[in-house]
Amino acid sequence: MRFLSVGVLLPAICLFGGAVAVAQGPAANNVPHWQTGIGMLGYVQVKDELNLTGDQMEKIKAIGDDFIEKHVRTFEASAQNADPEGRRKYDQLKRREQEAIEKAKAALTPEQAARFRQMEIWVKGPVAFAEADVARDLNLTAEQKAVLKTIGAECLNEVGALGKSLRSAVPGRITTDEKAKRAEKIAEMETQRQAVCAAKETECLAVLTDDQKARFLKLRGAKFELRRGPPRVP
């Protein structure tokens, strides 16, 4: 399995990985790592948005490959196990992931890194409000943090439920004739996912003061919408 050729894992996890995050207690406020950070840098759409050079992509690919080879199996195993050992392994994965993200970001220019952070906030949606740096930049109160954390968790739960529904409706191994049906089902649930996230974001914004809203809109910058699916960087 390679960082830029994980077409089997990415569609399901990027679309509906919230079910995994919710299953893991300590990770309940995190968007799955394939959707952001090191995984997000593998998308051609992100490459184009950031104007990454070939040399930068080679460095990022090497870091991503190393992370996947060493730690993706830990993720797959711990995702099925919510006991203390499973959570410990998941926490370990998150630490290793953060290390990989920092290494990958080091390959970016300051301008690229700033835009990439904005893109991550867009992709994380309502969950972004639980990020420590976002909370700090918005000067959120303890009460606001608690409310926003709850809304983010609700969002992940609802998206996770969509994921379970998808897995029930569409088997992992399908025939050629069933591919069109799967694509239609995924498109339908992606529309539902977007609606859930939009509604929860509206709830989040209602928690903020006018000044905090203005800060948040500036913080995430120009709109970015990640097209879910496998990356196509060669």
Side-chain angles (χ1 to χ4, degrees):
M1 186 181 297
R2 285 289 183 266
F3 170 56
L4 300 180
S5 60
V6 285
V8 176
L9 274 174
L10 272 163
I13 298 177
C14 285
L15 274 167
F16 304 109
V20 173
V22 171
Q24 303 295 330
N29 295 312
N30 296 320
V31 173
H33 64 276
W34 294 114
Q35 188 171 320
T36 55
I38 192 70
M40 185 173 159
L41 281 166
Y43 284 75
V44 67
Q45 181 187 357
V46 174
K47 171 183 176 293
D48 292 343
E49 176 80 14
L50 297 178
N51 293 314
L52 297 178
T53 65
D55 182 58
Q56 285 178 311
M57 284 307 303
E58 282 300 313
K59 291 178 181 178
I60 292 169
K61 179 179 182 298
I63 296 167
D65 283 348
D66 181 68
F67 174 72
I68 288 173
E69 290 295 334
K70 292 180 179 178
H71 305 296
V72 72
R73 296 307 176 193
T74 300
F75 169 78
E76 291 175 344
S78 62
Q80 305 301 322
N81 189 359
D83 64 16
E85 178 62 14
R87 290 194 294 272
R88 185 190 69 77
K89 290 181 178 179
Y90 189 87
D91 289 343
Q92 183 182 56
L93 172 75
K94 296 301 293 182
R95 289 194 296 272
R96 296 291 183 269
E97 174 204 1
Q98 189 58 42
E99 291 172 3
I101 291 172
E102 294 306 316
K103 289 180 181 178
K105 287 183 177 179
L108 307 179
T109 66
E111 292 76 16
Q112 289 171 329
R115 177 54 180 157
F116 181 66
R117 181 55 183 149
Q118 292 177 337
M119 294 158 67
E120 281 195 301
I121 292 174
W122 275 105
V123 172
K124 288 183 178 182
V127 182
F129 290 97
E131 296 283 305
D133 57 343
V134 173
R136 182 191 64 242
D137 290 343
L138 298 183
N139 195 25
L140 298 177
T141 65
E143 182 179 1
Q144 286 177 314
K145 290 178 184 178
V147 174
L148 291 168
K149 181 178 180 180
T150 297
I151 296 173
E154 291 173 351
C155 182
L156 286 180
N157 275 314
E158 291 185 35
V159 171
L162 288 175
K164 291 180 181 178
S165 176
L166 174 67
R167 289 190 292 276
S168 298
V170 183
R173 296 180 180 275
I174 62 175
T175 65
T176 302
D177 293 339
E178 293 174 312
K179 286 184 178 180
K181 178 182 177 182
R182 178 177 67 174
E184 182 179 342
K185 189 67 176 178
I186 289 177
E188 175 188 333
M189 290 195 172
E190 170 61 5
T191 298
Q192 294 177 24
R193 185 199 66 79
Q194 291 177 358
V196 167
C197 291
K200 291 301 179 181
E201 180 177 302
T202 298
E203 289 184 38
C204 288
L205 291 175
V207 176
L208 307 181
T209 66
D210 290 341
D211 177 63
Q212 288 171 327
K213 287 179 188 176
R215 285 196 223 173
F216 178 71
L217 295 179
K218 182 178 180 179
L219 186 65
R220 69 177 179 177
K223 184 173 182 178
F224 176 79
E225 185 174 349
L226 183 66
R227 294 188 290 274
R228 307 304 205 270
R232 301 188 303 278
V233 177

